[in-house]
Amino acid sequence: MNRSTPTSRRQTRQVNESAILRAAERVFARAGFEGATMADIADEAGLPKANLHYYFGAKRALYRAVLDAVLHDWLAPLDAITPEADPRTALCHYIELKMALAAERPHASRVFANELLHGAPVVLDLLRTDLRQQVLAKAAVIDGWIAAGRMAPVDSVHLFFTIWAATQTYADFDVQIQAVLGTEPDPATDAPRATAHVTSLILRGCGL
């Protein structure tokens, strides 16, 4: 009799959960929380609807899991901002990763933006705790770079707001951007051009 091992069951669970979260990102971004259904998400993920309930329970719990995952993935690139890091290299790395996330997972940005536009009813606690703590900690690193004369004086907290606005707009408002550019999207050229522009602008503002 073929019995699955704990390791194989854990791997299967991870694969299924990841597929469900990515599918939920796309459906919630398109339809919003109210318009999305568990059946739609199951179809998008190519999994039985029962799997969604097994792994995440109700729709609201799945929605919260999506938002948690998005915030975690957005905060991970901040790891490069450390006191001993080179400011230019660290900020370049952070901006490039944020731009890559906007290009590769635009639905993640849109579902999060939609949550914020509605007053962040689900993730306000995370914004006031995890996000705030991370930003203040990394802003303190930037203040240390400034005090050491390693970059120009800037408002370190508002620097993050500026980076978020400049990077996430390429996901949240891609229709507007393509309409103004008047061209069909070309990831091979559009993403590098946008990344180079945003990076150069931020670095110049930081005296780097």
Side-chain angles (χ1 to χ4, degrees):
M1 184 175 181
N2 184 22
R3 296 178 182 272
S4 61
T5 66
T7 299
S8 66
R9 289 195 296 271
R10 185 166 57 251
Q11 290 172 338
T12 298
R13 183 185 185 96
Q14 290 172 345
V15 169
N16 286 345
E17 286 183 348
S18 179
I20 292 168
L21 287 171
R22 293 295 175 269
E25 276 182 9
R26 297 189 291 271
V27 175
F28 284 131
R30 290 196 303 263
F33 176 77
E34 296 298 334
T37 68
M38 294 293 264
D40 290 338
I41 296 169
D43 288 344
E44 185 80 17
L47 293 169
K49 181 180 172 183
N51 282 33
L52 275 65
H53 292 289
Y54 175 75
Y55 291 123
F56 294 100
K59 182 175 75 168
R60 188 174 182 84
L62 175 55
Y63 178 67
R64 171 64 184 244
V66 168
L67 295 171
D68 287 353
V70 173
L71 187 57
H72 173 271
D73 293 344
W74 278 355
L75 291 176
L78 287 170
D79 291 345
I81 300 176
T82 61
E84 63 275 8
D86 172 66
R88 180 183 179 88
T89 301
L91 289 175
C92 279
H93 180 73
Y94 179 56
I95 294 166
E96 288 168 1
L97 287 179
K98 286 289 280 115
M99 290 293 287
L101 281 170
E104 294 164 10
R105 289 172 57 198
H107 294 95
S109 184
R110 290 173 199 148
V111 71
F112 203 88
N114 194 46
E115 166 72 6
L116 299 190
L117 288 172
H118 286 82
V122 175
V123 296
L124 187 58
D125 59 324
L126 279 177
L127 302 183
R128 288 173 169 168
T129 55
D130 293 17
L131 181 62
R132 184 172 187 271
Q133 290 164 9
Q134 282 270 24
V135 170
L136 293 181
K138 297 306 179 178
V141 172
I142 292 173
D143 288 338
W145 291 343
I146 293 169
R150 301 175 67 192
M151 61 178 278
V154 296
D155 185 311
S156 55
V157 173
H158 282 267
L159 175 61
F160 286 106
F161 299 155
T162 301
I163 292 173
W164 298 343
T167 56
Q168 289 162 222
T169 192
Y170 287 95
D172 300 342
F173 298 103
D174 67 327
V175 173
Q176 173 179 263
I177 290 169
Q178 294 304 327
V180 171
L181 292 175
T183 59
E184 290 297 318
D186 182 0
T189 57
D190 292 351
R193 175 187 175 187
T195 300
H197 167 74
V198 172
T199 302
S200 175
L201 200 64
I202 298 297
L203 292 181
R204 286 203 305 271
C206 293
L208 300 170

